[in-house]
Amino acid sequence: MRKPAFVSFLLAFSSFSFSQNISGNWQGNIDVNGQKILVVFHFYKDIAGQIVGKWDCPPQNAKNLPCGEIVLKNDSVKVGLPVISGFYEGTFIGVDSITGMWHQGPGKFVLNIVKTGNDAAFVLPKRPQTPKPPFDYEVKEVTYSNANKTMRYGATFTKPFSKVPADSKKYPAVVLITGSGKQDRDENIFDHKPFAVIADDLTKRGIAVLRFDDRGMGQTTGDFDTSSTEDFAGDVEAAIKYLESRKDVDTHRIGLIGHSEGGIIAPMVAARNNQVAFIVMLAGTGVPGNVINDYQNALPLQKAGFKDDIVQKFLELHRALIKAATSYVNPNDYKKEVSKIYYDWKKKQTPETIRELIKTTDETTISTLQNKYGAFHTKWWKFFLTYDPTKDLEKISIPVLVLNGEKDIQVDPKINLSLIEKALKKSKSKNYKVLELTGLNHLFQHCNACTTEEYGTLEETFAAEALKIMGSWIEEVVKQ
């Protein structure tokens, strides 16, 4: 689920090489409203000899965030930052110094970086579950288009090896649907590749799998930043059409597996597309987006020890600012509205509330709120905040498996699972299972601190018990 923070934690990855030597570690500070925010880049060669990049933001406990496309031309460099839908662009002023600008959303900030003394190769974290070739199943890189040819998709299709050259067997198949934020076909998050792990497990069970790049990522065209969940649902339907075109796929046994936002999209598509035979919701939701957003913004304050009444006062301001951001037409009017909302809210608060929540001057606070909440003025947020997933869940008549982690702090399992199950009871589905998996986080990892910052420090990509439950359930469903 998206968060309107300086750094988001749902990632994607791509890499390019360049002719000049930029390998090593670089760092500098971004000045945001008087606050210095350290950014560290790591440029290094991967196992194929290509230059790739990672970046850290230590003040926000963010590490190993992936760089996207890297372009080096003459004395200039441009580094894509897909995690924040931004980029860094600069000019070399020597071999060890670059002057440039950090671009994020509507804002841009000066960021001059210098090469540090430690030029050691960046060490990738251990990911023992990531499948490695040679594979004991068939792997094909494929491309296909949507019905009106306005979109081209890059994907990976896996299926069991044919026992004989002329084997005409048709396999059950699933489409994997990524969570929110621009991601590649493996749903690459902190070098975890959960969709590669899931595809590997299911294909070994005899089930074909299609996983595709999000819009604007990898080989898929389109503009991710101007798209909504409804648009992404259309991308899933294009994937279903592609599977239907294949002679090795059983068109009566095509299912969907969606994670996080993908867990919203799967029932959305299934409710209107009778070609979907079953769905699996991983960390999906049963409440409207505004409730999820409230939860994600209140939880950090609660964990920091703020009293419930202080948290509720913050949420009053938060909701009013979101309403303004999603409805404004003129940016200048929006900025004035933020100021008015803030002062109207402040007048109603006790000195304790102001002391706890406001740490800077009014002018700085208003500027920060204008920038932060401006991120909600998108097609995606406008749809997400008002969409109620239970309406589509109630329309479903196919088998459904719902899995949520007990330790998920992005999608509260208690409230979401109860509402999902309530909706499925109203549906025509005769085969559904709703499970809360003990000790697992939003990514279905066994966690310790169970925070978003911990995702990248854990070696496990996807818990074995979650894979087993999902794989066994799908095997039973496709047999029926």
Side-chain angles (χ1 to χ4, degrees):
M1 291 300 153
R2 301 185 187 189
K3 295 193 288 185
F6 181 73
V7 174
S8 167
F9 291 97
L10 295 165
L11 312 178
F13 179 82
S14 63
S15 63
F16 293 79
S17 64
F18 32 70
S19 58
Q20 297 186 37
N21 179 23
I22 197 173
S23 296
N25 303 318
W26 301 71
Q27 67 180 49
N29 288 291
I30 301 173
D31 190 328
V32 181
N33 298 320
Q35 179 185 5
K36 298 290 185 181
I37 298 178
L38 176 64
V39 172
V40 182
F41 287 105
H42 309 277
F43 298 116
Y44 59 99
K45 289 186 177 181
D46 64 11
I47 58 175
Q50 301 292 304
I51 292 290
V52 293
K54 298 285 180 181
W55 62 280
D56 308 331
C57 185
Q60 300 208 358
N61 297 315
K63 294 187 64 178
N64 300 342
L65 306 180
C67 295
E69 180 181 6
I70 300 171
V71 178
L72 191 73
K73 184 176 181 181
N74 298 325
D75 61 347
S76 67
V77 60
K78 184 175 182 179
V79 181
L81 306 169
V83 64
I84 60 167
S85 296
F87 62 93
Y88 173 70
E89 190 169 31
T91 302
F92 285 87
I93 53 175
V95 294
D96 297 328
S97 183
I98 298 174
T99 179
M101 300 293 293
W102 176 279
H103 298 257
Q104 180 173 347
K108 59 181 181 179
F109 310 89
V110 174
L111 175 58
N112 300 323
I113 59 176
V114 295
K115 198 171 189 179
T116 66
N118 180 12
D119 290 339
F122 185 76
V123 180
L124 289 173
K126 293 180 181 179
R127 299 291 180 254
Q129 288 180 281
T130 300
K132 297 177 178 60
F135 302 109
D136 52 359
Y137 48 83
E138 189 173 340
V139 180
K140 287 186 176 181
E141 305 304 312
V142 300
T143 58
Y144 57 92
S145 299
N146 59 358
N148 60 13
K149 308 299 182 183
T150 58
M151 289 282 300
R152 186 187 73 251
Y153 302 91
T156 299
F157 177 77
T158 58
K159 70 170 186 176
F161 277 129
S162 298
K163 295 181 180 179
V164 293
D167 188 1
S168 60
K169 182 175 181 179
K170 293 180 180 291
Y171 296 94
V174 298
V175 177
L176 302 185
I177 313 168
T178 64
S180 58
K182 190 190 298 184
Q183 300 177 78
D184 68 9
R185 64 192 71 181
D186 293 329
E187 203 187 37
N188 194 321
I189 302 174
F190 293 110
D191 286 303
H192 288 294
K193 299 181 178 181
F195 277 14
V197 173
I198 292 171
D200 179 76
D201 180 77
L202 292 179
T203 308
K204 289 175 179 177
R205 292 174 180 268
I207 299 158
V209 180
L210 182 71
R211 58 192 200 268
F212 62 94
D213 296 322
D214 286 350
R215 295 184 174 209
M217 177 57 67
Q219 292 183 302
T220 297
T221 61
D223 188 342
F224 182 91
D225 295 330
T226 60
S227 303
S228 72
T229 305
E230 284 184 302
D231 298 317
F232 303 146
D235 297 338
V236 173
E237 291 186 302
I240 294 171
K241 284 292 185 183
Y242 169 73
L243 288 178
E244 290 176 336
S245 73
R246 294 189 63 97
K247 295 180 179 180
D248 49 6
V249 169
D250 184 342
T251 58
H252 298 293
R253 295 187 293 172
I254 296 176
L256 307 176
I257 300 176
H259 174 237
S260 194
E261 184 185 6
I264 299 173
I265 294 171
M268 182 189 298
V269 173
R272 69 194 192 198
N273 191 318
N274 59 15
Q275 287 302 110
V276 180
F278 59 89
I279 63 171
V280 178
M281 297 170 61
L282 299 173
T285 68
V287 299
N290 64 324
V291 178
I292 292 289
N293 186 253
D294 277 359
Y295 171 74
Q296 291 182 341
N297 280 275
L299 189 62
L301 296 179
Q302 293 168 343
K303 285 184 172 293
F306 285 85
K307 298 176 182 178
D308 287 343
D309 61 329
I310 298 291
V311 174
Q312 291 305 314
K313 294 300 182 184
F314 162 75
L315 288 177
E316 289 176 12
L317 175 63
H318 174 71
R319 293 163 185 156
L321 291 170
I322 286 178
K323 183 177 180 180
T326 54
S327 60
Y328 79 79
V329 176
N330 187 303
N332 290 326
D333 291 341
Y334 159 71
K335 291 183 177 181
K336 293 177 183 177
E337 185 68 12
V338 170
S339 181
K340 182 179 183 301
I341 289 170
Y342 170 73
Y343 282 120
D344 287 347
W345 171 84
K346 187 177 179 182
K347 289 176 185 177
K348 302 174 186 176
Q349 308 311 314
T350 64
E352 180 190 11
T353 300
I354 299 302
R355 184 172 60 253
E356 291 289 323
L357 292 177
I358 308 302
K359 303 298 184 183
T360 61
T361 65
D362 286 344
E363 182 179 346
T364 299
T365 299
I366 291 170
S367 177
T368 300
L369 294 176
Q370 288 170 341
N371 290 329
K372 178 178 179 180
Y373 283 87
F376 285 96
H377 189 68
T378 65
K379 184 180 179 181
W380 187 90
W381 276 110
K382 290 176 182 180
F383 178 85
F384 174 74
L385 291 169
T386 58
Y387 174 69
D388 183 354
T390 62
K391 302 303 181 185
D392 281 326
L393 284 165
E394 291 173 2
K395 299 175 184 177
I396 286 177
S397 59
I398 57 176
V400 181
L401 174 64
V402 182
L403 302 179
N404 285 58
E406 175 208 7
K407 299 295 185 179
D408 191 337
I409 64 168
Q410 292 185 252
V411 176
D412 180 10
K414 296 293 187 291
I415 184 173
N416 283 284
L417 288 180
S418 63
L419 290 175
I420 290 171
E421 187 163 23
K422 183 178 180 180
L424 289 172
K425 285 180 179 179
K426 294 180 180 180
S427 75
K428 295 181 180 180
S429 175
K430 303 301 180 183
N431 178 4
Y432 64 84
K433 184 180 289 188
V434 180
L435 299 175
E436 180 181 299
L437 303 186
T438 303
L440 302 187
N441 62 18
H442 187 65
L443 303 188
F444 292 86
Q445 302 166 302
H446 290 92
C447 56
N448 301 308
C450 301
T451 62
T452 55
E453 292 86 355
E454 188 186 37
Y455 294 161
T457 68
L458 299 172
E459 291 188 10
E460 182 179 53
T461 293
F462 201 90
E465 63 264 38
L467 281 174
K468 183 177 180 180
I469 291 169
M470 179 167 56
S472 298
W473 183 85
I474 293 174
E475 284 180 326
E476 288 300 316
V477 166
V478 298
K479 285 178 184 177
Q480 296 173 7

